[in-house]
Amino acid sequence: MRICDLLNPQSVRLNVEVSTKEQAINNLVDLVAESGCLNDAERFRTAVFDREAKVSTGLGEGVAIPHAKSAGVTKPGLAAMVVPKGVEFDSLDGKPAKLFFMIASPHHASDAHLDVLARLSTLLISEDFRNSLNSAQSVDEFLRIINKADESEIEKEKQRQQKLKAAEEEKQSEENKDTSSNIGYYDIVAVTACPAGLSHTYMAAEALEKQAKEMGISIKVETDGAAGNRNKLLPEEISKAKAVIVAADRIVDMDRFLGKPLIRVGVVEGIRRPKNLIKSALDPKCPKYQTGFLGSTSVSMRLYRHLMSGMAYLMPLAATAGILSAFARLDIVNDTQFGFFFDRVGYSIGTLLFPILSAFIAYSIRGRTALVAGFTGGVMADLGGSGVIGAVVNGFVGGAVALLTTLFAGRFLKGHDATVALLLYPLMGALGTAAIAVFFTNIPAEFIDSYINSFFAESSVYTLVLIGALLAGMMSFDMGGPINKLAYAIGVLFLADSLPEQGPGGLVMASIMAGGMVPPIAAALASILIPQVFSEKINSLRYITLGKGLVFITEGIIPYLQKNPRAMRSACVCCSALTGALSMYFKCSICAPHGGVFIIPLCDHPVQYIMSMLAGIVLGIFAFSIIHLRTSDKETSNIAVSSDNN
């Protein structure tokens, strides 16, 4: 399949004028619709904007590839657009985007279609190719340029496959002769992967390959895309490589890189900084990979990452258990068979929270060999009444027990891998973790857990208000930074300790969620109600920011912080703290660790919760407008003074 098999002439537009990112995306969606590959254009449009809200598809060098998978797509399709003057697209390099390709993918895409998209992403790395497309005088010329480059790339791919086949045959021949071989040797091996598995995956791979070639370094890149692993790394290639680069935004198989110098970054870094990554990977000081952590990472950061790994698996379970239990308590279903059913399901899922949390903390430390040990730690925390603190501590204990067990087995029980994996690891992990939990960790953990619950039960309303203000303010302190994440982690763990009932954890979670929602909502409403105060760029983001705020994405306000960041952050903290304090004062309680406004109908005292948020929103609108207005006046005054001086 060729690129132009997906790119129809009616889906290509040259010399287009657009002034905003939203206009560019809307034009591209309309072009895709003209090709007849959509059954629901609005559904696909929503999917594209949702994808864009997560991370910009402006890849730099004047190129943007907005894309999405959607049930609104009947068959794979492409659209292309050239904007000679460029448009601001939040690109990685901060430059306007001029050349656009939009990818429309159905949920079940064929391998052939994915190969085409990978080839397009590869071609766009070439500056000559991009310049030719930008200079095309007609749609026919535009398509001819693509066809010519596409044929050349297909021929190169055939040659690469032939070389690989010949190398494999030569390698097999050498192995049959029992002679050593250097076939398959690379200086660096790498893996690239993005959440969607489309353009970013292949562009990062191409950027690394191109940079390595310029530096005279051999490299093999495995692309872990939507169609599965392509160019998969072989064990002997990994063992012979000097270093490893993993540029991925999702989980990849890491255990195969044990003991190798390794750089771990997001997929965007693979596109932006391939030269720096290659240099860092080949640096003698590059840390060697160990299961669960890199050797150069501080102890506190390792512990934090393991805890976050456990929480990532805990949150969907906590949300499900909390929502089902809260729904069962509603008047419309309470004391009915439906209510009883939902309550039992929620309660049953709730009993798994501690074991799952502990199991995946241990899994983060020592992989699959630690799962049973970690799970046992969570069970012991539940049986011993040590709560979520016991579950967290026992998760780390389980990981440590598994680590010691694997080290012992690796040294003294070589050659019995099957028996060790099926019997020794789970049995020793379970017994060791259970013994440590019973005699050591459960006792202090139970005391601390009981003290915390008693503290909340016996504290005055003013103490609770201060706690709510502090935790909610922390959510706005650094917008996704360590303080924000610490506050959210406290909320999730407290909530897990209370479920399926709505105890102190629900109160804490309500303050934290409200504190995270209010700043972006207030900023968006300020730019809607008083647009003249804000810049055109900020106003173009107001509805996206509002949507992010409503679904509890605090980082949606970040664009508003560019003017007078210190004052804006202080205002964010103040309006969040006010909301959190009022939420705690009214004893509002949330049943899930996420969900934003959609979870409010299931909370305790929903009217008071909305009132608490409105108070923070009003304060935020006022504060943000004043800050932006004064900053703009000051800039205007400075310009005037500068002009007078000249």
Side-chain angles (χ1 to χ4, degrees):
M1 182 182 286
R2 304 292 181 88
I3 294 174
C4 287
D5 291 338
L6 299 179
L7 184 62
N8 295 326
Q10 62 265 34
S11 298
V12 180
R13 291 290 186 276
L14 309 180
N15 300 315
V16 178
E17 291 187 7
V18 293
S19 57
T20 66
K21 180 177 182 177
E22 288 70 25
Q23 288 180 4
I25 291 176
N26 283 322
N27 282 9
L28 286 163
V29 172
D30 294 339
L31 289 175
V32 173
E34 290 183 19
S35 69
C37 67
L38 304 182
N39 58 57
D40 189 337
E42 294 309 311
R43 190 170 185 177
F44 175 66
R45 193 187 311 272
T46 300
V48 173
F49 277 107
D50 288 345
R51 170 65 184 82
E52 199 66 33
K54 296 176 181 177
V55 62
S56 174
T57 54
L59 302 175
E61 303 296 340
V63 176
I65 311 181
H67 57 271
K69 287 184 177 181
S70 171
V73 181
T74 305
K75 60 181 181 179
L78 275 174
M81 183 172 73
V82 178
V83 181
K85 294 182 179 179
V87 62
E88 178 60 42
F89 210 82
D90 299 322
S91 297
L92 300 178
D93 57 3
K95 298 178 182 178
K98 297 181 179 181
L99 180 60
F100 296 84
F101 283 90
M102 176 166 280
I103 302 171
S105 301
H107 280 304
H108 302 290
S110 67
D111 287 355
H113 146 247
L114 293 171
D115 284 339
V116 170
L117 301 183
R119 202 156 61 244
L120 173 62
S121 300
T122 300
L123 290 173
L124 288 170
I125 293 292
S126 168
E127 183 178 0
D128 292 339
F129 179 68
R130 298 194 304 267
N131 291 338
S132 297
L133 293 179
N134 284 325
S135 303
Q137 298 300 310
S138 67
V139 172
D140 287 341
E141 182 184 353
F142 188 91
L143 295 176
R144 281 198 301 272
I145 293 169
I146 293 177
N147 265 326
K148 183 178 179 180
D150 197 16
E151 290 174 359
S152 176
E153 188 62 28
I154 290 173
E155 184 61 33
K156 289 180 183 177
E157 181 62 28
K158 288 180 180 178
Q159 292 176 3
R160 282 197 291 265
Q161 293 297 331
Q162 290 172 356
K163 288 181 180 179
L164 284 173
K165 185 177 180 181
E168 287 297 325
E169 291 175 352
E170 184 177 350
K171 180 180 177 181
Q172 187 63 45
S173 175
E174 292 296 321
E175 288 177 351
N176 291 338
K177 295 177 182 178
D178 293 322
T179 61
S180 60
S181 173
N182 285 326
I183 302 285
Y185 171 81
Y186 299 93
D187 293 317
I188 294 177
V189 293
V191 181
T192 61
C194 68
L198 293 173
S199 55
H200 287 71
T201 299
Y202 303 106
M203 294 195 79
E206 183 68 17
L208 288 168
E209 289 172 349
K210 181 180 179 182
Q211 186 61 57
K213 184 177 180 180
E214 291 178 1
M215 298 170 68
I217 294 169
S218 59
I219 189 172
K220 179 177 179 180
V221 184
E222 173 182 305
T223 52
D224 191 358
N229 284 0
R230 300 291 177 88
N231 206 27
K232 191 172 179 64
L233 300 176
L234 301 176
E236 57 268 27
E237 293 168 342
I238 297 172
S239 66
K240 293 177 181 178
K242 296 177 182 177
V244 181
I245 297 173
V246 177
D249 289 335
R250 57 187 176 86
I251 295 174
V252 297
D253 181 10
M254 296 290 290
D255 285 349
R256 52 188 166 156
F257 304 129
L258 279 171
K260 303 294 295 185
L262 185 142
I263 296 292
R264 178 74 158 89
V265 295
V267 68
V268 171
E269 292 299 299
I271 301 172
R272 295 179 62 180
R273 303 191 305 116
K275 186 174 183 178
N276 289 345
L277 294 180
I278 292 172
K279 285 184 176 180
S280 298
L282 294 176
D283 191 320
K285 297 180 181 179
C286 180
K288 294 184 178 181
Y289 179 72
Q290 302 176 44
T291 302
F293 59 87
L294 293 174
S296 63
T297 308
S298 67
V299 173
S300 59
M301 185 54 67
R302 295 178 201 170
L303 297 177
Y304 173 78
R305 288 178 178 173
H306 298 323
L307 176 60
M308 290 299 107
S309 297
M311 285 181 55
Y313 292 93
L314 170 72
M315 284 190 288
L317 280 176
T320 303
I323 291 172
L324 289 175
S325 298
F327 186 76
R329 289 192 290 268
L330 293 177
D331 292 338
I332 57 173
V333 295
N334 195 18
D335 296 328
T336 67
Q337 288 297 320
F338 285 109
F340 177 77
F341 172 75
F342 287 127
D343 186 56
R344 293 301 299 169
V345 175
Y347 179 82
S348 299
I349 295 174
T351 61
L352 298 175
L353 295 181
F354 293 168
I356 291 297
L357 174 62
S358 296
F360 282 98
I361 289 174
Y363 176 79
S364 176
I365 296 171
R366 201 57 184 175
R368 288 177 293 179
T369 59
L371 273 174
V372 173
F375 196 89
T376 304
V379 171
M380 297 308 297
D382 195 18
L383 293 176
S386 57
V388 72
I389 294 176
V392 170
V393 173
N394 290 344
F396 284 103
V397 169
V401 170
L403 175 61
L404 294 174
T405 303
T406 53
L407 291 176
F408 172 82
R411 183 168 184 177
F412 299 107
L413 299 175
K414 293 181 180 179
H416 303 280
D417 294 343
T419 303
V420 167
L422 290 174
L423 296 177
L424 183 66
Y425 289 159
L427 188 59
M428 292 298 294
L431 291 176
T433 304
I436 294 173
V438 169
F439 295 107
F440 295 100
T441 58
N442 271 1
I443 298 171
E446 182 183 3
F447 173 78
I448 296 172
D449 189 73
S450 299
Y451 176 80
I452 291 173
N453 282 285
S454 299
F455 174 81
F456 271 92
E458 298 171 4
S459 291
S460 67
V461 66
Y462 302 106
T463 302
L464 295 178
V465 165
L466 287 174
I467 293 172
L470 174 64
L471 291 173
M474 289 169 66
M475 287 298 295
S476 296
F477 184 79
D478 52 1
M479 305 300 172
I483 303 298
N484 170 282
K485 287 183 170 61
L486 175 62
Y488 185 63
I490 290 172
V492 174
L493 294 175
F494 266 70
L495 182 66
D497 203 34
S498 300
L499 291 175
E501 303 298 328
Q502 291 192 19
L507 300 176
V508 171
M509 194 70 242
S511 293
I512 288 171
M513 188 178 295
M517 292 165 60
V518 161
I521 294 175
L525 291 178
S527 60
I528 291 172
L529 297 173
I530 321 172
Q532 62 271 22
V533 173
F534 301 90
S535 67
E536 182 179 345
K537 179 180 178 181
I538 291 295
N539 286 332
S540 68
L541 299 173
R542 53 194 173 186
Y543 293 110
I544 294 176
T545 302
L546 179 62
K548 288 182 177 180
L550 292 174
V551 296
F552 184 37
I553 301 177
T554 314
E555 293 84 347
I557 197 178
I558 288 178
Y560 290 78
L561 304 181
Q562 294 176 1
K563 277 193 175 183
N564 204 340
R566 181 176 297 180
M568 282 294 294
R569 288 181 184 276
S570 298
C572 289
V573 171
C574 289
C575 64
S576 291
L578 173 63
T579 300
L582 290 173
S583 172
M584 194 70 81
Y585 176 80
F586 290 122
K587 296 190 183 305
C588 302
S589 181
I590 284 287
C591 59
H594 220 291
V597 295
F598 300 103
I599 209 70
I600 292 178
L602 294 177
C603 81
D604 287 353
H605 312 303
V607 175
Q608 290 90 330
Y609 195 57
I610 294 173
M611 290 171 55
S612 303
M613 290 183 59
L614 287 175
I617 290 170
V618 171
L619 175 61
I621 291 173
F622 178 77
F624 299 156
S625 301
I626 292 296
I627 292 169
H628 273 255
L629 182 61
R630 288 186 174 179
T631 305
S632 299
D633 289 344
K634 186 175 181 180
E635 290 175 352
T636 303
S637 176
N638 290 338
I639 293 172
V641 170
S642 176
S643 299
D644 291 341
N645 291 337
N646 291 332

